[in-house]
């Protein structure tokens, strides 16, 4: 199988796809999460089903969806100690004349308020534009998710619109704010 291996680094972070040898680090940081801090923070998660075999399949799945250009999932690691801090991902929405993706991001809540989200998302956008050849990237954010809105704005994304009844979550169709950035702004 061809390996999807784009990676990038910043002063403090390494951004790359998960590898099988990341299992214990990845699991440990999920297990170290704090209880939920607000309604958009899942907090602690039951990780009992996340065996090494399960993780190996996750890594292979990430590789395959990247090769098929469905989605590109990057883990975020701190350089000084290698700790897994979270994830940033791009889902391909359209190629051809559009070159359009959706970005998602999460930082483990024990690492909040240290600037890791902004640093990781800024660098990941460089991967999206320069290596994955997307032209437009959108963030779809719940109307009251102020932390995510702040992060999107801090990396240069601009508010575009509110999409009504955009996603089915919590047993109802919800509105989302759309923030976007394109390769010409980079």
């Amino acid at each position: 199988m061809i390996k999807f291996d784009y990676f990038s680094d910043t002063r403090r972070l390494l951004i790359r796809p998960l590898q099988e040898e990341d299992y214990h680090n990845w699991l440990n940081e999920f297990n170290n999460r704090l209880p939920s801090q607000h309604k958009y923070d899942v907090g602690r998660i039951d990780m009992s089903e996340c065996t090494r075999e399960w993780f190996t399949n996750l890594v292979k799945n990430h590789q395959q969806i990247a090769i098929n250009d469905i989605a590109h999932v990057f883990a975020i690691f701190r350089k000084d100690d290698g700790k897994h801090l979270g994830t940033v991902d791009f889902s391909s929405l359209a190629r051809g004349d559009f070159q359009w993706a959706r970005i998602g991001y999460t930082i483990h809540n024990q690492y909040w308020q240290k600037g890791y989200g902004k640093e990781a998302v800024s660098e990941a956008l460089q991967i999206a534009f320069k290596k994955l050849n997307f032209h437009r990237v959108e963030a779809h954010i719940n109307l009251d998710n102020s932390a995510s809105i702040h992060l999107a704005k801090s990396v240069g994304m601009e508010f575009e619109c509110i999409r009504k009844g955009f996603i089915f979550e919590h047993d109802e169709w919800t509105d989302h704010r759309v923030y976007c950035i394109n390769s010409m702004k980079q």
Side-chain angles (χ1 to χ4, degrees):
M1 175 191 303
I2 299 170
K3 288 244 179 189
F4 170 72
D5 62 359
Y6 290 136
F7 74 94
S8 193
D9 65 340
T10 67
R11 183 176 60 80
R12 299 184 301 165
L13 305 176
L14 176 62
I15 300 159
R16 62 166 173 76
L18 284 171
Q19 300 169 354
E20 289 183 41
E21 56 269 18
D22 295 325
Y23 173 67
H24 290 294
N25 181 5
W26 174 89
L27 183 63
N28 188 56
E29 296 311 317
F30 270 97
N31 284 330
N32 286 333
R33 281 184 168 189
L34 303 172
S36 177
Q37 305 296 302
H38 59 72
K39 77 181 201 179
Y40 298 112
D41 173 25
V42 296
R44 290 191 178 127
I45 302 170
D46 178 7
M47 301 295 287
S48 61
E49 293 185 20
C50 301
T51 63
R52 180 174 281 285
E53 180 181 359
W54 180 93
F55 185 79
T56 296
N57 288 330
L58 177 72
V59 170
K60 288 177 183 176
N61 181 57
H62 285 182
Q63 289 283 335
Q64 193 58 54
I65 63 175
I67 290 166
N68 293 336
D69 196 33
I70 296 166
H72 303 271
V73 182
F74 297 93
I76 305 161
F77 297 93
R78 194 163 53 192
K79 277 184 173 178
D80 65 356
D81 59 8
K83 290 191 182 287
H84 179 261
L85 304 180
T87 304
V88 62
D89 65 88
F90 298 97
S91 298
S92 299
L93 297 176
R95 285 296 193 169
D97 292 340
F98 295 99
Q99 302 302 325
W100 176 29
R102 182 217 43 89
I103 188 173
Y105 40 79
T106 186
I107 299 292
H108 298 306
N109 62 12
Q110 69 268 32
Y111 296 112
W112 287 0
Q113 303 298 316
K114 295 175 176 37
Y116 294 132
K118 180 179 180 179
E119 191 173 335
V121 170
S122 292
E123 190 64 24
L125 285 168
Q126 296 302 310
I127 296 171
F129 295 132
K130 294 178 180 172
K131 294 181 180 177
L132 300 175
N133 298 314
F134 287 113
H135 167 68
R136 176 185 173 89
V137 175
E138 290 182 355
H140 305 152
I141 304 171
N142 289 90
L143 300 181
D144 60 345
N145 190 339
S146 57
S148 188
I149 291 167
H150 177 75
L151 177 54
K153 288 179 177 179
S154 76
V155 298
M157 299 184 90
E158 296 177 355
F159 174 72
E160 183 172 78
C161 65
I162 293 177
R163 290 198 182 132
K164 300 286 188 184
F166 185 60
I167 187 170
F168 193 76
E169 58 185 1
H170 312 293
D171 296 322
E172 65 181 337
W173 287 100
T174 60
D175 301 344
H176 272 207
R177 296 173 65 95
V178 176
Y179 285 81
C180 64
I181 191 168
N182 67 50
S183 59
M184 296 181 326
K185 299 247 342 172
Q186 295 296 302

